[in-house]
Amino acid sequence: MIAAPRFVAAILASRPTFFLARVALTSAYLLGGIVKLTDWQGAVAEQAHFGMNPPALWAALTIAVEIVGPVLILTGRLVWLGAGMLGVFTLLAAFVANDFWTMQGQERFMATNAFFEHLGLVGGFVLVAIVSLQRAHRDA
């Protein structure tokens, strides 16, 4: 294995880099939760569109996950829980919103791409939980 150059290792090991990476990973969820919170009717309509019943309950749960998960990850408190919440949510959303196996043509192509992007985000949440745990052990 080839080691990273020192300046790269220093950047990757820094607290600001780790924080900015967590901001990047969670930003869409935090923004989505805030937008849904300020547009309750739109949030309920979105859940109804995906067949979630009762849609108001699912909208409230979605808002809670999209706000609480990022806050836990960004504050460094219970990162495993925040990452788990967002990872499970993202995996479920991938199956509900991107059921490419039921589609044809361009729609299938787009949904397949979105499905695997969601899987990549799930991997990102697993990694942030692992790195947070390793950093906590190192700092202890």
Side-chain angles (χ1 to χ4, degrees):
M1 178 187 272
I2 299 174
R6 283 186 202 191
F7 79 95
V8 172
I11 291 169
L12 294 176
S14 76
R15 287 185 186 275
T17 298
F18 187 49
F19 180 74
L20 290 174
R22 289 179 292 155
V23 168
L25 182 62
T26 62
S27 61
Y29 296 90
L30 190 55
L31 180 62
I34 292 168
V35 168
K36 288 174 183 72
L37 189 60
T38 61
D39 180 13
W40 175 251
Q41 293 304 319
V44 172
E46 178 183 50
Q47 297 303 315
H49 169 78
F50 288 115
M52 305 302 288
N53 286 306
L57 173 66
W58 287 104
L61 289 173
T62 297
I63 291 166
V65 168
E66 288 187 331
I67 293 175
V68 172
V71 167
L72 292 174
I73 291 170
L74 294 174
T75 61
R77 307 272 187 202
L78 302 174
V79 173
W80 62 270
L81 180 59
M85 290 169 62
L86 290 172
V88 170
F89 171 79
T90 302
L91 187 60
L92 294 174
F95 282 98
V96 171
N98 299 299
D99 54 344
F100 64 90
W101 51 91
T102 67
M103 302 172 185
Q104 299 294 321
Q106 183 67 19
E107 182 183 34
R108 180 183 179 111
F109 174 81
M110 298 296 287
T112 301
N113 190 48
F115 182 88
F116 285 96
E117 287 174 351
H118 278 73
L119 288 185
L121 286 167
V122 171
F125 289 120
V126 171
L127 288 172
V128 82
I130 291 169
V131 171
S132 293
L133 183 62
Q134 289 174 341
R135 283 174 167 257
H137 282 30
R138 181 193 72 202
D139 294 344

